């Protein structure tokens, strides 16, 4: 593109901070955050009725009260970090729409879009008009040439919008207390609305003058090459795919954008620039789907899909396929760590609790309980809102301190995990020479780091020895007890991929039966009150586990999945609080969970 877009240090307030003075913990602290947040600068958020600014979003993340659709809202527990990731597509156009002093503010189309506002309404929105305009705009997404519309006033408007987002990140960054990141969403959308989206997160304020969108970078390969180009100019950034469950097989492909088979160079480009995968958010879970993982009794969990579900939309498929590529071309393109986030379009990061007075995360579309029950989901009108959405997830990071550099580096090394919105604590190590059990948390950590690698790492190959795994989990202080910890193994041998689930830590003194099943512990949920069994499950679970089928010649991955005892879903809370009668097949009871990033075992080539 002809427009100059230089990389420079755009730090303002943070220039005065000395991050090195923040106390660090070599065994790392746990921080919860949200790296997927939209505000009024995202066209779909605005057309959904959102007027929250990036400043509002950070205030909400820090625990301050803001107003959404005329209602005061406040996060129950503040986050430790967040990133506003507005869509880069139409970012300049949104600046023109929102600001009276901006060029083309009075363009006819922008005036038409602003007509959804109704100051006389309690929500500030003419919902009938808003829905009509939203549908009209939605029909154009992914169609025709991918280029800026006629009312685009030029890249100076994109620069200005980007600078506002950066200023908000700078204003709210307090090293050691609350971290913000420069970020945005690169939103490539296919003809059928299939999601090929990535969030771009920068390590610091060394960033380009404006973000490049899918209107400029036409496919993921162009995006990765641009990230490497700006890296050469001093920027440090990563891309994080999300909603692969809605990608129609377009994320974990067997070819490059030109249809050529994957090469080692392409796989390496992907691995270098995409270390993480967002596997849970408001538009569904991307771990597995029960249609393809029939032997996984917990696969049915917030499984939103568009079109027909496809096996290759899911993370476990990608992890196994990555082992196959490693064996055949020498590079694993799908070596992903896991995170969760919300993808809120209300400017409300971390609003992921099932049992608060649910306001949803998808704008006015799911703000009202009646709407959640009866409205068609706007991206897939064969489904209702309640079938498509959930409150979303969180990203958990083990980092030495709460600073941009420490949290970014932890993300890069994949010492992260995803949760379905709760705050389960989870540790996962793989190595050699661990004790059979640990009575001391500190001793466990010392062994974990000195004799092994944490989640996201590569297990050392030790000839003649099978690795051990330490897995430890603690319940969310405000959540339910833990039911179990599972370790999911995938491996590639003799041209085929395999997987197996091991129940390695069970609550209530249970043991695995001879046939591999786990006896029920009797935990229930009261459908009149929403209360769950507080005398079932354990607050803490821990195990030192060894793979009984370990083959030192076979490449494999392992990740941990922690499950709570059953609790009430937001749908059941809607029924209890508002009398909403959901169909009998709606998920009224759920198993909240956490997924660790995998560790990989890669034997030397024979």
């Amino acid at each position: 593109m002809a427009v100059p877009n230089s990389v420079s240090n755009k730090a303002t307030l943070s220039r005065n901070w000395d991050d090195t003075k923040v106390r660090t913990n070599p065994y790392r602290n746990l921080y919860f955050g949200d790296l997927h947040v939209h505000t009024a600068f995202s066209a779909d958020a605005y057309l959904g009725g959102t007027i929250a600014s990036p400043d509002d979003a950070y205030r909400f993340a820090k625990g301050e009260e803001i107003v959404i659709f005329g209602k005061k809202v406040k996060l129950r527990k503040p986050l430790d970090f967040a990133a506003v990731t507005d869509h880069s597509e139409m970012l300049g156009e949104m600046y023109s729409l929102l600001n009276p002093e901006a060029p083309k503010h009075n363009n006819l189309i922008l005036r038409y879009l602003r007509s959804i506002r109704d100051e006389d309404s309690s929500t500030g929105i003419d919902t009938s008009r808003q829905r009509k305009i939203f549908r009209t705009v939605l029909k154009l997404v992914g169609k025709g040439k991918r280029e800026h519309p006629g009312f685009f006033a030029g890249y100076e408007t994109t620069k200005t919008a980007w600078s506002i987002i950066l200023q908000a990140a700078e204003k709210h960054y307090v090293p050691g207390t609350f971290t913000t990141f420069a970020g945005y969403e690169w939103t490539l959308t296919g003809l059928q609305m299939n999601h090929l989206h990535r969030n771009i997160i920068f390590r610091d304020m060394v960033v380009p003058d404006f973000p490049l969108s899918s209107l400029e970078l036409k496919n993921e390969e162009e995006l990765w090459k641009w990230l490497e180009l700006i890296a050469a100019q001093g920027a440090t950034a990563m891309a994080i795919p999300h909603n692969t469950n809605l990608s129609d097989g377009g994320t974990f492909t067997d070819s490059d954008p030109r249809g050529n088979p994957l090469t080692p160079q392409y796989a390496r480009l992907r691995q270098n620039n995409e270390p993480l995968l967002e596997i849970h958010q408001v538009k569904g879970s991307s771990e597995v789907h029960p249609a393809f993982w029939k032997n996984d009794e917990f696969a049915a969990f917030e499984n939103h899909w568009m079109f027909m579900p496809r096996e290759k939309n899911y993370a476990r498929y990608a992890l196994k396929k990555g082992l196959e590529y490693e064996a055949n071309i020498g590079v694993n393109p799908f070596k992903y760590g896991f995170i969760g986030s919300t993808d809120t379009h209300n400017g409300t990061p971390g609003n992921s609790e099932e049992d608060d007075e649910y306001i949803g995360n998808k704008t006015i579309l799911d703000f009202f309980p009646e709407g959640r029950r009866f409205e068609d989901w706007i991206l897939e009108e064969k489904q209702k809102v309640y079938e498509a959405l959930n409150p979303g997830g969180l990203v958990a990071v083990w980092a030495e301190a709460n600073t941009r550099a420490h949290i970014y580096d932890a993300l890069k090394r994949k010492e992260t995990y995803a949760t379905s919105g709760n705050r389960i604590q989870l540790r996962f190590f793989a190595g050699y020479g661990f004790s059979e059990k640990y009575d001391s948390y500190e001793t466990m950590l010392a062994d974990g780091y000195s004799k092994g690698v944490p989640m996201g790492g590569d297990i050392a190959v030790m000839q003649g020895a099978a690795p051990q795994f330490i897995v430890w989990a603690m319940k969310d202080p405000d959540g339910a007890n833990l039911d179990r910890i599972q370790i999911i193994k995938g491996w590639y041998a003799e041209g085929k991929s395999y997987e197996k689930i091991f129940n390695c830590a069970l609550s209530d003194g249970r043991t695995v039966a001879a046939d591999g099943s786990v006896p029920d512990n009797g935990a229930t949920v009261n459908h009149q009150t929403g209360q769950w069994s507080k005398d079932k499950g354990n607050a803490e679970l821990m195990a030192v586990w060894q793979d009984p089928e370990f083959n030192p010649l076979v490449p494999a991955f392992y990740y941990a999945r922690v499950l709570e005892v059953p609790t009430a879903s937001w749908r059941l809370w809607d029924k209890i609080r508002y009398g909403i009668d959901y169909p009998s097949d709606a998920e009224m009871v759920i198993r909240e969970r956490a997924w660790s990033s995998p560790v990989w075992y890669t034997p030397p080539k024979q």
Side-chain angles (χ1 to χ4, degrees):
M1 59 183 290
V3 179
N5 188 14
S6 62
V7 172
S8 62
N9 187 353
K10 296 176 176 59
T12 53
L13 298 174
S14 65
R15 286 178 187 271
N16 301 321
W17 287 105
D18 183 0
D19 291 5
T20 62
K21 292 184 177 178
V22 176
R23 178 181 295 181
T24 59
N25 175 6
Y27 291 149
R28 290 145 198 181
N29 303 316
L30 179 58
Y31 301 110
F32 285 100
D34 191 341
L35 296 176
H36 196 166
V37 178
H38 295 275
T39 72
F41 273 120
S42 291
D44 54 352
Y46 179 84
L47 293 177
T50 291
I51 58 172
S53 67
D55 182 71
D56 292 329
Y58 285 127
R59 288 176 49 228
F60 183 84
K62 293 165 73 175
E64 296 181 28
E65 184 178 88
I66 65 172
V67 177
I68 299 294
F69 306 118
K71 182 177 182 178
K72 295 179 180 178
V73 296
K74 183 178 180 179
L75 197 58
R76 184 183 299 169
K77 290 186 289 188
L79 296 175
D80 300 304
F81 65 95
V84 169
T85 54
D86 280 310
H87 298 289
S88 52
E89 295 73 18
M90 306 278 286
L91 186 59
E93 291 87 332
M94 291 307 299
Y95 174 72
S96 292
L97 182 148
L98 293 167
N99 293 278
E101 71 278 12
K104 296 202 175 185
H105 178 73
N106 289 317
N107 173 276
L108 187 62
I109 294 175
L110 296 182
R111 289 165 59 189
Y112 174 65
L113 297 179
R114 282 196 299 272
S115 69
I116 65 171
R117 306 299 310 169
D118 179 2
E119 300 305 325
D120 293 330
S121 165
S122 61
T123 61
I125 301 294
D126 179 339
T127 53
S128 176
R129 191 174 185 82
Q130 175 268 334
R131 191 102 182 168
K132 179 182 176 183
I133 293 176
F134 203 138
R135 288 179 195 278
T136 300
V137 173
L138 200 61
K139 289 177 181 176
L140 302 175
V141 174
K143 312 294 191 304
K145 291 183 179 179
R146 276 193 273 134
E147 57 186 25
H148 287 279
F151 53 86
F152 179 50
Y155 285 101
E156 285 300 320
T157 57
T158 313
K159 284 184 186 179
T160 305
W162 179 234
S163 71
I164 293 171
I165 294 170
L166 297 180
Q167 287 168 18
E170 283 286 275
K171 175 183 175 183
H172 291 282
Y173 179 41
V174 183
T177 301
F178 183 76
T179 289
T180 62
F181 290 100
Y184 74 93
E185 180 174 334
W186 178 85
T187 314
L188 179 63
T189 302
L191 290 174
Q192 303 302 319
M193 289 295 294
N194 45 320
H195 288 40
L196 307 173
H197 307 173
R198 270 86 174 168
N199 284 324
I200 312 301
I201 303 296
F202 291 86
R203 187 175 188 267
D204 48 35
M205 285 290 149
V206 180
V207 298
D209 291 341
F210 57 92
L212 294 191
S213 73
S214 63
L215 305 183
E216 292 87 16
L217 305 169
K218 304 293 186 181
N219 57 57
E220 68 275 13
E221 188 175 9
E222 291 187 10
L223 172 66
W224 302 330
K225 288 182 176 178
W226 179 68
L227 292 178
E228 301 220 329
L229 177 67
I230 63 173
Q233 300 170 45
T236 304
M238 68 173 75
I240 306 175
H242 60 265
N243 279 131
T244 61
N245 56 318
L246 308 180
S247 68
D248 198 24
T251 302
F252 309 125
T253 59
D254 296 316
S255 60
D256 69 16
R258 294 167 299 284
N260 302 311
L262 297 194
T263 64
Q265 293 76 20
Y266 180 92
R268 194 168 293 109
L269 183 65
R270 182 171 198 143
Q271 187 188 93
N272 289 344
N273 290 286
E274 291 194 351
L276 297 172
L277 177 66
E278 182 187 297
I279 66 165
H280 189 81
Q281 60 129 276
V282 294
K283 289 182 290 185
S285 172
S286 297
E287 184 203 11
V288 288
H289 189 288
F292 308 104
W293 281 271
K294 298 183 187 303
N295 292 328
D296 186 342
E297 64 179 304
F298 300 107
F301 178 66
E302 305 294 5
N303 297 117
H304 173 39
W305 67 91
M306 294 165 64
F307 330 107
M308 290 295 290
R310 299 181 61 175
E311 182 182 12
K312 66 190 308 182
N313 286 353
Y314 292 92
R316 203 180 296 170
Y317 165 88
L319 293 177
K320 290 192 297 182
K321 196 70 178 177
L323 297 180
E324 181 181 331
Y325 275 113
E326 177 94 37
N328 293 330
I329 68 172
V331 183
N332 181 346
F334 306 133
K335 201 169 183 178
Y336 287 115
F338 292 158
I339 69 164
S341 279
T342 60
D343 190 16
T344 174
H345 279 59
N346 292 356
T348 50
N351 179 38
S352 60
E353 293 145 338
E354 301 274 338
D355 61 342
D356 64 3
E357 292 187 19
Y358 189 69
I359 59 169
N361 275 314
K362 284 298 180 184
T363 68
I364 200 77
L365 300 173
D366 73 322
F367 186 73
F368 299 105
E370 295 82 1
R372 295 193 285 269
R373 166 62 182 90
F374 295 106
E375 290 279 4
D376 296 333
W377 171 230
I378 202 157
L379 296 184
E380 172 57 275
E381 295 192 337
K382 295 177 183 176
Q383 299 177 36
K384 300 296 182 187
V385 168
Y386 78 87
E387 296 176 295
L389 300 184
N390 71 87
L394 295 176
V395 48
V397 170
W398 289 105
E400 292 87 345
N402 189 353
T403 71
R404 283 177 180 154
H406 286 106
I407 291 181
Y408 184 95
D409 292 348
L411 293 167
K412 185 70 175 178
R413 65 174 179 263
K414 306 166 190 170
E415 198 168 352
T416 64
Y417 61 94
T419 83
S420 57
N422 54 27
R423 300 196 186 195
I424 292 173
Q425 298 179 52
L426 171 61
R427 293 276 198 176
F428 186 45
F429 296 96
Y432 302 88
F434 297 151
S435 299
E436 292 184 359
K437 65 176 185 177
Y438 290 93
D439 296 324
S440 160
Y441 178 74
E442 290 72 22
T443 305
M444 179 190 77
L445 293 185
D447 270 11
Y449 281 110
S450 64
K451 299 177 180 177
V453 294
M455 59 179 77
D458 288 290
I459 307 170
V461 176
M462 187 174 291
Q463 195 167 11
Q468 296 169 285
F469 300 83
I470 297 173
V471 60
W472 170 90
M474 180 70 81
K475 62 167 283 191
D476 180 336
D478 297 324
N481 283 337
L482 306 179
D483 179 87
R484 71 188 69 188
I485 303 176
Q486 300 178 311
I487 291 182
I488 289 93
K489 174 189 178 185
W491 69 99
Y492 183 74
E494 299 179 346
K496 292 184 178 179
S497 296
Y498 303 88
E499 65 179 73
K500 189 167 185 177
I501 299 173
F502 298 90
N503 290 292
C504 64
L506 299 172
S507 68
D508 304 290
R510 293 172 296 168
T511 57
V512 179
D515 64 357
S517 64
V518 174
D520 182 49
N521 65 354
T524 59
V525 176
N526 185 317
H527 284 235
Q528 279 67 53
T529 66
Q531 295 304 305
W532 59 86
S533 298
K534 293 184 171 56
D535 60 341
K536 303 294 182 184
N538 285 33
E540 179 181 9
L541 291 173
M542 198 278 279
V544 179
W545 179 80
Q546 200 159 28
D547 178 0
E549 301 167 7
F550 178 72
N551 183 338
L553 303 179
V554 172
F557 66 81
Y558 302 83
Y559 69 89
R561 184 170 67 182
V562 184
L563 297 162
E564 289 184 353
V565 299
T567 53
S569 80
W570 63 268
R571 303 170 189 86
L572 182 54
W573 287 113
D574 269 2
K575 181 178 180 180
I576 294 169
R577 288 177 173 145
Y578 309 116
I580 305 298
D581 187 19
Y582 284 97
S584 58
D585 61 348
E587 282 186 290
M588 307 301 278
V589 172
I590 58 170
R591 296 260 191 172
E592 296 271 29
R593 60 196 66 195
W595 303 264
S596 80
S597 288
V599 292
W600 288 266
Y601 174 83
T602 308
K605 293 277 188 182
Q606 298 298 306

